[in-house]
Amino acid sequence: MLFAQHGISATSTAAIAESSGVAHGTLFAHFATRDDLIAEVIMRFLGQLAVRLQQSLEDKAALCDFLSAHLDGLAENEDFYFRLLQEQTVLPPYARSTLLGMQSVISLQLSSILAREFAGNESPPLRHDQIFNTWIGLVHHYILNRDLFASGRSVCASRKDELVEHFCLLLKNHKD
């Protein structure tokens, strides 16, 4: 994918058309603007991730299994996600809203699992939004610095067990 290779901002619609084997104008028969194309690519990527995580909910997965599924989903297109993270502040507003909206969906899915896992406790270890923000911050730190943590490899795949175990242990210790 060109966005993953060259970056979202640096990839022209002409390059996308050439790579797709269509005329440049044909792209605009499907997408009114370049921003619409970018938002659609982000929506499809994050939509696939959300479906994977929804399956974890339906399977009544434990928290650590849900987090593993999250990393598995990110690993499938980690180069693209890396570019999204790098360039999120310069994404077109609609595309950025799409990214933030999908992260909210994942946060809600995580919240459902936390509610199930901590049911019966008088007080949860932390607010659900704090737990999500801590998790996503940890994941983003590793992805954005993947050259330090997994040079030449997928950090989500190669460090998955370590990240999930570490995070689940933090929650367990905070709860106790």
Side-chain angles (χ1 to χ4, degrees), residues 19-166:
S19 174
S20 301
V22 300
H24 189 231
T26 303
L27 279 181
F28 296 103
H30 299 283
F31 303 99
T33 67
R34 181 178 186 280
D35 291 356
D36 290 342
L37 171 66
I38 293 168
E40 180 65 23
V41 170
I42 293 170
M43 178 109 42
R44 286 184 186 209
F45 165 68
L46 294 172
Q48 291 171 345
L49 179 61
V51 166
R52 174 190 286 266
L53 296 177
Q54 183 63 34
Q55 185 62 47
S56 292
L57 284 175
E58 292 169 8
D59 293 344
K60 304 267 189 242
L63 174 64
C64 293
D65 295 327
F66 177 82
L67 299 177
S68 287
H70 184 214
L71 292 177
D72 287 341
L74 292 176
E76 289 174 1
N77 289 293
E78 188 174 318
D79 291 337
F80 176 65
Y81 195 66
F82 172 76
R83 293 295 188 164
L84 272 177
L85 295 178
Q86 274 189 319
E87 299 182 37
Q88 68 180 324
T89 60
V90 295
L91 288 175
Y94 181 69
R96 189 166 186 201
S97 295
T98 300
L99 174 60
L100 294 174
M102 290 309 298
Q103 287 180 338
S104 294
V105 169
I106 295 166
S107 178
L108 286 171
Q109 291 171 323
L110 177 63
S111 185
S112 294
I113 289 181
L114 291 168
R116 186 178 68 230
E117 287 210 0
F118 293 105
N121 289 356
E122 288 186 28
S123 61
L126 295 167
R127 290 189 343 239
H128 294 182
D129 63 314
Q130 292 170 327
I131 293 171
F132 174 76
N133 288 338
T134 304
W135 169 250
I136 205 71
L138 176 68
V139 170
H140 287 179
H141 174 72
Y142 270 73
I143 291 173
L144 286 168
N145 295 287
R146 63 192 185 160
D147 58 321
L148 300 174
F149 297 112
S151 183
R153 299 178 298 153
S154 164
V155 72
C156 291
S158 64
R159 295 292 186 111
K160 176 178 80 170
D161 293 339
E162 173 187 343
L163 289 169
V164 170
E165 288 173 24
H166 170 76

